């Protein structure tokens, strides 16, 4: 049962650390090296944590890193599971639920996305304002686990508006450009067709990817505050005449790392200054 798995995983992690982290980060494709910013790290490979699965995707290693950013205890998930790998939703959201169980209240979710909005270019950072879930999956399908949250969770502020404001202010102060956009999640693993991207544009999507939304749903169910930061790694299909491949996606994400690391690190610093963590 999901609840006992969360408890066993969280008890194992808590046995390895002395301070409970209040901030969690999920690092997407090419963004795993953010952990270099963390001090006093404890690295726990996923295979050591009860019920955690290794990811099969290149560019996603599998480890939980607990360390400090500006003296704030932070838990970073380096590598995530995707529905297109064939993992059930319950396994995909187990790491996020486990972070909540060890004390995380604010969750930064990051990903690599394709840009649909014509103003988006590879290397851009985007603060996710909202999402459209076209993956056909939802991690809350099945009996509700009342200990985690309500049957019908509100998703009206899924990407916390106060935290988005803070992120934008930090980016401005540090001269890092970050745009706003609506993220559309698809199942994958194929990239979209040009016709699909035209449809996504019409229904209000600015960027598209194959992750993040299951974790956002599970985190909101738990009452966590969520921030979503995407790195645009490519023009979505048909926006420019380019073939899409995963190696380019990873390379561009790595280039955007400096700006990405600055806003993440300094936003956590601000959360500390304002007593929120
Ligand atoms: N489509 C879907 N997922 C993605 C893309 C894309 O263009 N780029 C990175 N992840």
């Amino acid at each position: 049962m999901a609840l006992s798995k969360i408890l066993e995983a969280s008890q194992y992690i808590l046995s390895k650390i002395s301070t409970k982290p209040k901030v969690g980060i999920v690092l997407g494709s090419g963004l795993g090296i953010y952990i270099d910013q963390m001090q006093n790290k404890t690295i726990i490979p996923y295979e050591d944590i009860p019920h955690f699965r290794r990811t099969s995707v290149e560019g996603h290693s599998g480890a939980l890193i607990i360390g400090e950013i500006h003296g704030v205890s932070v838990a970073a998930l380096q590598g995530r599971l995707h529905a297109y790998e064939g993992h059930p939703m319950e396994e995909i959201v187990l790491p996020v639920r486990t972070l909540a169980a060890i004390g995380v209240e604010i969750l930064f979710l990051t990903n690599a996305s394709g840009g649909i909005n014509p103003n988006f270019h590879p290397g851009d950072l985007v603060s996710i304002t909202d999402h459209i879930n076209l993956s056909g999956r939802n991690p809350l399908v099945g009996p509700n686990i009342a200990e985690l949250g309500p049957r019908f969770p509100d998703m009206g502020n899924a990407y916390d508006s106060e935290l988005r404001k803070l992120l934008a202010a930090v980016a401005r102060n540090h001269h890092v450009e970050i745009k706003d956009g609506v993220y559309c999640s698809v199942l994958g693993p194929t990239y979209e067709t040009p016709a699909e991207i035209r449809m996504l544009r019409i229904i209000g999507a600015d960027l598209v990817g194959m992750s993040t939304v299951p974790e956002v749903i599970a985190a909101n169910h738990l009452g966590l505050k969520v921030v979503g930061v995407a790195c645009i790694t490519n023009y979505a299909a048909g926006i420019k005449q380019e073939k899409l491949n995963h190696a380019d996606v990873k390379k561009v994400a790595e280039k955007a790392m400096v700006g990405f690391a600055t806003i993440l690190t300094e936003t956590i610093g601000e959360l500390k200054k304002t007593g929120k963590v």
Side-chain angles (χ1 to χ4, degrees), residues 112-115 186 191-192 208-210 233-237 244 249:
S113 293
V186 293
Y191 288 114
E192 302 67 42
V208 59
M210 304 171 193
T233 50
N234 56 278
Y235 294 106
L244 302 178
V249 165

Side-chain angles (χ1 to χ4, degrees), residues 129 156-168 225-226:
T129 57
N157 191 33
Y159 302 82
D160 187 77
S161 58
E162 289 300 315
L163 290 175
R164 277 195 280 124
K165 268 188 226 156
L166 178 65
L167 184 77
K225 290 192 170 151
V226 171

Side-chain angles (χ1 to χ4, degrees), residues 75-94:
L77 292 162
Q78 195 187 38
R80 58 150 60 95
L81 303 177
H82 304 79
Y84 65 73
E85 295 174 79
H87 299 291
M89 279 283 130
E90 186 184 308
E91 285 178 12
I92 292 172
V93 299
L94 175 68

